[in-house]
Amino acid sequence: MKVEATIGKNMQPLLRVENLVKRYAKRSLAGTPEEFLALDGVSFTVFPGTTLAVVGESGSGKSTLAACLACLESPTAGSIWFEGREITKLEERACRQVRPQIQVIFQDPASSLNPRWSVMEVLAEPLILQRKFTREEIDRRISSLLERVGLSPDIVERSPTELSGGQRQRLAIARALALEPKLLILDEALSALDCSVQAQIANLLVELQGSLGMTYLFITHDLAMAAHLADEIAVMDRGRIVEQGQAQKILKHPEQETTRQLLAAVPRLTLAPPLLEQ
Ligand SMILES: Nc1ncnc2c1ncn2[C@@H]1O[C@H](COP(=O)(O)OP(=O)(O)OP(=O)(O)O)[C@@H](O)[C@H]1O
Ligand SMILES: [Mg+2]
């Protein structure tokens, strides 16, 4: 549907991941060093302006994938291409230039928002770091970011700890947007919110995709939310993508047992039309 409509034949992928492997060192119960394979040859492509949802049970490697894409972890093997450049091969300086373009929002924004700062400071910092805006421009940009995510300007003096969960998540999105990223990775970013706030923020994401052409990697264990937001879904199991395809196709004709189990965990009402288009 949306994918075919958006992607021209010659369009370059924004992100291409090839055979990504991540091994973590760990110790066995007996204390001997061992390795744990968290990503086991993951490959996929994301086109600009689209959403790929990565779904999977706890421990399947979703956050490890997000951390590798955001340069927070270095992969053991494989490659990540961003706008045609292999970022896994970049020197530290070149990597610093790419990094702001890939932003991650986690489940608990409180951990990434400094509680000693005001909302104003949280939003001003990424703009000041870019060193290309005057004080007036920064103020203007902050007002526009707040408006874009539906937060009232009245809260700028508050600390992130004085906001509701939904407001904090909107603030995290506004902060990520301040860097004008091309790719926004949302790692269970809506999971801790109640249903109505989840829906509001999901709609905000769709709206921002329409107005800014954002590309999302939406990580979740909730197949219904994935189907609601994504063009394509990739299902992960023990470090591998076991099934991938158009969101509606995965919902209607899941081929793998893992996908069927994730589907079985979704309340039937949530899958009612129009989510499950007839
Ligand atoms: N820093 C680390 N050191 C060792 N093992 C790790 C590390 N981080 C993750 N792992 C292991 O890698 C596997 C994948 O973890 P990951 O956090 O990527 O899963 P996930 O799919 O995001 O799970 P969840 O849905 O619970 O967030 C898990 O078995 C985890 O214990
Ligand atoms: Mg995780």
Side-chain angles (χ1 to χ4, degrees):
M1 291 179 325
K2 205 165 118 207
V3 180
E4 282 99 336
T6 323
I7 300 170
K9 269 205 173 105
N10 300 318
M11 193 180 252
Q12 176 177 269
L14 181 67
L15 176 71
R16 186 154 63 87
V17 174
E18 257 178 30
N19 235 341
L20 205 66
V21 174
K22 177 68 188 176
R23 283 197 190 91
Y24 286 116
K26 65 165 199 174
R27 295 210 163 264
S28 72
L29 285 177
T32 45
E34 279 184 354
E35 283 187 331
F36 180 81
L37 193 54
L39 294 178
D40 183 10
V42 168
S43 304
F44 61 87
T45 300
V46 187
F47 284 90
T50 67
T51 301
L52 172 70
V54 176
V55 299
E57 297 285 352
S58 182
S60 55
K62 306 181 298 295
S63 295
T64 303
L65 175 63
C68 291
L69 294 177
C71 309
L72 301 172
E73 288 279 1
S74 40
T76 312
S79 47
I80 301 168
W81 300 73
F82 187 73
E83 292 193 302
R85 289 168 88 194
E86 189 177 352
I87 58 173
T88 23
K89 287 235 168 76
L90 291 181
E91 300 285 327
E92 179 60 28
R93 231 181 80 206
C95 202
R96 266 207 304 272
Q97 289 174 348
V98 177
R99 225 172 267 170
Q101 301 185 38
I102 305 177
Q103 290 295 306
V104 196
I105 299 178
F106 294 102
Q107 174 166 349
D108 177 15
S111 60
S112 57
L113 299 172
N114 191 331
R116 288 189 297 273
W117 286 359
S118 65
V119 166
M120 177 72 126
E121 287 166 322
V122 164
L123 293 177
E125 191 222 30
L127 296 168
I128 292 168
L129 285 180
Q130 288 178 70
R131 295 195 193 161
K132 57 178 187 193
F133 304 115
T134 62
R135 188 65 240 183
E136 289 74 38
E137 279 169 333
I138 289 178
D139 287 343
R140 257 202 314 278
R141 278 178 179 257
I142 290 177
S143 303
S144 126
L145 284 167
L146 288 170
E147 194 184 324
R148 215 167 238 169
V149 300
L151 281 175
S152 157
D154 301 344
I155 62 158
V156 290
E157 298 301 329
R158 288 198 211 161
S159 140
T161 53
E162 294 164 337
L163 302 178
S164 71
Q167 285 174 324
R168 251 198 312 273
Q169 206 52 285
R170 284 169 194 268
L171 176 61
I173 293 172
R175 183 179 156 87
L177 290 180
L179 291 163
E180 299 181 351
K182 293 190 172 142
L183 176 67
L184 193 55
I185 302 174
L186 296 118
D187 186 357
E188 303 277 9
L190 311 189
S191 308
L193 304 171
D194 72 43
C195 286
S196 66
V197 183
Q198 263 187 5
Q200 280 171 20
I201 297 195
N203 290 341
L204 169 66
L205 293 172
V206 172
E207 211 179 286
L208 292 173
Q209 190 161 54
S211 57
L212 304 176
M214 294 295 304
T215 307
Y216 300 128
L217 191 84
F218 188 79
I219 294 176
T220 181
H221 57 266
D222 180 348
L223 203 48
M225 186 55 87
H228 182 60
L229 280 173
D231 301 282
E232 283 210 20
I233 294 178
V235 181
M236 283 191 75
D237 186 16
R238 284 166 283 179
R240 303 186 73 95
I241 292 182
V242 291
E243 181 163 9
Q244 181 172 357
Q246 203 236 322
Q248 287 297 322
K249 183 177 161 284
I250 300 268
L251 267 198
K252 282 193 218 165
H253 308 290
E255 284 177 3
Q256 299 295 321
E257 189 48 38
T258 314
T259 317
R260 282 193 280 270
Q261 279 171 10
L262 287 166
L263 207 50
V266 175
R268 292 190 73 79
L269 260 182
T270 330
L271 282 176
L275 194 54
L276 193 53
E277 284 169 9
Q278 299 302 301

